């Protein structure tokens, strides 16, 4: 087979350049290409903006590119309404922002796209978690127990308050039915339609009701209205059922995002994309045995990979966390990979260590 090489760097708008002597690979459709692992990257705010510009997702989700003293980052903006306002009036729309997702300058374009996808999924999951609500039996007030705003240190310091206790009487199905009378998802009722015991687990068929009329006018997440679905649980204990119910809503949301996320009109994460085809394309784009025979290219390839990995190495620092991590690292015999830069500078509790 003839191996073709590019003699020069050819910069593109996304700040991608070919490694010196980068070889072409031939794809299963006969087209030549240079895959991303034979490219080097120098992302800028402009290139990050260009990448995000080519991404389409759910209409109410915006992708922002920006930079600060910590470097480049992308961020999700969500146009929606206040989930905790469950009154009878139309809610005013507002724009809120998710966390900043840091982008290193040497991040491949493909990884930036995947980071944007993950950011949208997690931003929507944040909203989904606030929709599953329970009425507190003691006060009659409504709460969202799966919300990410729950106080974890408070729970950790008072863990006895969140241990399961019996709250209803009757058989397991009756208990779940009683529980669901206090439970809503986005103000929709949740009904058990059928229960099927199956070997080591149970299959529960459920149905959501519709939202109040005012919520239907707002039109947020209509895909959940009167949705019929199944939940598989290993136990009919109320707490395990509720956790699996929440996970089911999150999985449904993740698939919904996957089917609506596009880069240059390609739905990379859609269930209609063939994994067998992806595997064949991946194999075709990685003829390493062939390409490493070229000493010039192989040296640059390995050096660049080393530099990229080395740029991500943190420092241990000092204190209890540093001691904990150092102890874990020293417990592994002949540990490979890039070790923390200051691993041998200090030992446990700051005691000096001499590198051997």
């Amino acid at each position: 087979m003839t191996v073709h090489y590019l003699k020069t760097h050819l910069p593109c708008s996304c700040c991608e350049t070919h490694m010196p002597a980068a070889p072409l690979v031939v794809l299963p459709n006969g087209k030549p290409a240079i895959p991303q692992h034979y490219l080097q990257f120098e992302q800028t705010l402009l290139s990050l903006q260009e990448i995000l510009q080519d991404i389409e997702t759910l209409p109410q989700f915006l992708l922002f590119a920006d930079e600060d003293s910590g470097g480049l980052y992308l961020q999700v903006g969500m146009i929606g309404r206040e989930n905790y306002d469950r009154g009878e009036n139309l809610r005013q729309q507002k724009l809120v922002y998710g966390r900043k997702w840091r982008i290193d300058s040497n991040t491949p374009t493909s990884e930036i796209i995947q980071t944007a996808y993950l950011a949208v999924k997690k931003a929507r999951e944040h909203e989904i978690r606030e929709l599953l609500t329970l009425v507190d039996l003691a006060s009659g007030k409504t709460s969202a127990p799966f919300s990410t705003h729950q106080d974890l240190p408070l729970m950790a310091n008072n863990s006895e308050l969140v241990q399961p206790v019996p709250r209803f009487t009757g058989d397991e199905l009756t208990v779940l039915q009683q529980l669901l009378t206090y439970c809503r998802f986005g103000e929709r009722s949740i009904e058990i339609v059928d229960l099927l015991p199956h070997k080591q687990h149970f299959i529960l068929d459920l149905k959501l009701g519709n939202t109040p009329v005012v919520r239907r006018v707002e039109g947020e997440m209509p895909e959940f209205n009167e949705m019929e679905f199944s939940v598989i649980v290993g136990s009919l204990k109320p707490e395990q059922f509720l956790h699996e119910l929440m996970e089911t809503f999150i999985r449904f949301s993740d698939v919904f995002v996957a089917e609506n996320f596009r880069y240059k009109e390609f739905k990379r994460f859609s269930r209609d994309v063939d994994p067998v085809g992806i595997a064949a394309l991946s194999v075709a784009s990685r003829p390493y045995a062939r390409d490493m025979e070229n000493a010039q290219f192989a040296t640059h390839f390995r050096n660049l990979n080393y530099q990229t990995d080395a740029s991500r190495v943190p420092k241990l620092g000092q204190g209890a966390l540093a001691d904990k991590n150092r102890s874990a690292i020293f417990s592994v015999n002949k540990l490979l990979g890039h070790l923390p830069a200051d691993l041998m500078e200090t030992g446990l509790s700051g005691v000096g260590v001499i590198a051997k």
Side-chain angles (χ1 to χ4, degrees):
M1 177 184 294
T2 301
V3 181
H4 299 281
Y5 299 92
L6 290 177
K7 302 297 185 182
T8 59
H9 289 182
L10 299 175
C12 74
S13 60
C14 288
C15 296
E16 301 172 354
T17 57
H18 309 304
M19 296 179 189
L24 294 169
V25 300
V26 179
L27 306 180
N29 59 4
K31 294 182 179 179
I34 295 184
Q36 72 168 8
H37 38 278
Y38 291 170
L39 301 176
Q40 48 196 13
F41 300 85
E42 188 59 41
Q43 303 290 354
T44 65
L45 179 57
L46 176 60
S47 68
L48 180 57
Q49 291 170 338
E50 290 181 348
I51 294 168
L52 299 188
Q53 167 63 26
D54 285 330
I55 294 174
E56 298 294 335
T57 183
L58 300 171
Q60 65 271 35
F61 285 82
L62 309 177
L63 287 171
F64 294 91
D66 204 350
E67 62 182 335
D68 56 21
S69 59
L72 297 169
Y73 65 88
L74 65 83
Q75 193 171 19
V76 174
M78 296 158 284
I79 298 175
R81 296 175 172 86
E82 179 54 67
N83 292 327
Y84 297 106
D85 182 355
R86 306 180 187 96
E88 298 180 355
N89 298 320
L90 286 173
R91 300 170 297 181
Q92 182 66 39
Q93 287 188 308
K94 65 176 184 177
L95 177 61
V96 296
Y97 301 95
R99 54 155 288 185
K100 296 176 181 178
W101 296 75
R102 294 292 174 181
I103 302 296
D104 294 331
S105 61
N106 58 7
T107 303
T109 299
S110 180
E111 291 185 19
I112 293 176
I113 298 167
Q114 292 178 86
T115 300
Y117 172 63
L118 180 60
V120 173
K121 279 208 308 181
K122 288 304 174 182
R124 197 169 195 262
E125 178 183 326
H126 181 104
E127 301 301 300
I128 292 292
R129 285 182 171 276
E130 295 179 352
L131 297 182
L132 184 57
T133 60
L134 285 170
V135 174
D136 176 44
L137 273 64
S139 66
K141 295 182 178 180
T142 299
S143 178
F146 293 99
S147 164
T148 56
H149 298 297
Q150 296 296 338
D151 191 332
L152 285 176
L154 184 69
M155 283 191 278
N157 292 330
N158 301 274
S159 59
E160 74 278 3
L161 298 179
V162 292
Q163 300 306 308
V165 296
R167 293 182 174 87
F168 304 100
T169 59
D171 59 38
E172 292 176 317
L173 178 58
T174 300
V175 167
L176 291 185
Q177 290 172 329
Q178 292 179 68
L179 173 66
L180 288 178
T181 63
Y182 295 89
C183 187
R184 293 289 183 273
F185 181 75
E187 301 185 59
R188 302 169 182 86
S189 61
I190 307 173
E191 174 191 358
I192 296 177
V193 177
D194 198 8
L195 170 63
L196 176 64
H198 183 77
K199 294 184 179 180
Q200 304 301 318
H201 56 260
F202 301 88
I203 301 174
L204 287 152
D205 293 330
L206 298 104
K207 181 178 180 180
L208 295 180
N210 212 329
T211 53
V213 174
V214 68
R215 300 292 168 254
R216 274 172 267 168
V217 173
E218 292 174 350
E220 287 193 8
M221 299 189 184
E223 66 273 12
F224 286 104
N225 291 343
E226 299 183 321
M227 184 178 80
E228 297 183 15
F229 60 104
S230 298
V231 172
I232 300 176
V233 293
S235 166
L236 293 179
K237 293 180 179 179
E239 63 277 6
Q240 295 196 19
F241 165 74
L242 287 175
H243 279 285
E244 189 56 45
L245 180 63
M246 184 74 265
E247 290 299 320
T248 301
F249 289 136
I250 293 172
R251 284 194 294 270
F252 185 87
S253 175
D254 287 349
V255 172
F256 193 77
V257 172
E259 296 300 330
N260 286 276
F261 187 96
R262 303 181 302 281
Y263 173 71
K264 293 187 175 180
E265 298 304 319
F266 173 57
K267 295 184 178 182
R268 160 63 183 95
F269 305 101
S270 169
R271 299 291 179 93
D272 293 329
V273 175
D274 181 18
V276 177
I278 295 175
L281 182 60
S282 178
V283 170
S285 69
R286 288 171 166 80
Y288 291 138
R290 179 203 72 174
D291 297 338
M292 293 305 113
E293 291 179 356
N294 181 285
Q296 178 189 3
F297 172 71
T299 298
H300 192 84
F301 177 80
R302 294 191 179 100
N303 286 342
L304 184 61
N305 283 342
Y306 179 88
Q307 293 168 14
T308 299
D309 291 341
S311 70
R312 297 170 178 166
V313 177
K315 289 185 177 180
L316 287 171
Q318 296 182 0
L321 178 61
D323 289 348
K324 179 180 178 180
N325 289 335
R326 183 179 288 103
S327 178
I329 291 171
F330 284 150
S331 70
V332 180
N333 186 35
K334 297 181 179 179
L335 181 64
L336 301 178
H338 290 266
L339 301 181
D342 58 346
L343 177 65
M344 304 307 293
E345 291 180 7
T346 57
L348 298 179
S349 301
V351 179
V353 174
I354 300 176
K356 295 181 179 181

